Amino acid sequence: MHELGLLQSVVRAVDAAAAKAGAGSVERVGVRVGALSGAVPQALRGAWPIATAGTRLAGAALEIEELGAAVWCDVCGSEQPVDQFYALRCPACAAPCGNLIRGREFALAFAEVPDQLPD
Ligand SMILES: [Zn+2]
């Protein structure tokens, strides 16, 4: 599963950061997912418990921020939103356009650890 691999790299990074910060657990994790990243939000949610099992992230909530994709069209001189059926043409003027400026992201947006009292 493609989504599991993507999540595992995020989980490893957050788990390591939590360990460094002395946090025993992580409460919430947010990821940014571009419309053309190839990751399906529903599959990410399904893979989340598997990716986090046995880590500080076990039981953490996953928040997915979906980002729309867009191209820059030189003919229109502007940014144009595209969807997953985008076929290398500007949706506004139909000029050939391969200038994807947004939509392939898969990135960690934030991670929150519970408030802890000093020992
Ligand atoms: Zn155009």
Side-chain angles (χ1 to χ4, degrees), residues 13 42 94 106:
Q42 202 182 337
F106 183 89

Side-chain angles (χ1 to χ4, degrees), residues 1-20:
M1 203 199 304
H2 176 63
E3 281 80 5
L4 183 57
L6 289 171
L7 286 176
Q8 279 169 335
S9 54
V10 165
V11 167
R12 268 195 297 273
V14 174
D15 195 44
K20 208 170 166 184

Side-chain angles (χ1 to χ4, degrees), residues 73-78 80 90-95:
C73 175
D74 283 333
V75 179
C76 296
S78 65
Q80 300 292 337
C90 169
C93 71

Side-chain angles (χ1 to χ4, degrees), residues 6-79:
L6 289 171
L7 286 176
Q8 279 169 335
S9 54
V10 165
V11 167
R12 268 195 297 273
V14 174
D15 195 44
K20 208 170 166 184
S25 65
V26 177
E27 214 161 52
R28 270 177 357 124
V29 175
V31 292
R32 280 197 193 95
V33 181
L36 301 178
S37 68
V40 181
Q42 202 182 337
L44 290 170
R45 290 195 182 90
W48 183 242
I50 304 164
T52 56
T55 72
R56 289 173 182 76
L57 287 71
L62 175 66
E63 285 187 19
I64 298 172
E65 184 188 333
E66 296 181 56
L67 296 179
V71 292
W72 176 264
C73 175
D74 283 333
V75 179
C76 296
S78 65
E79 186 182 313

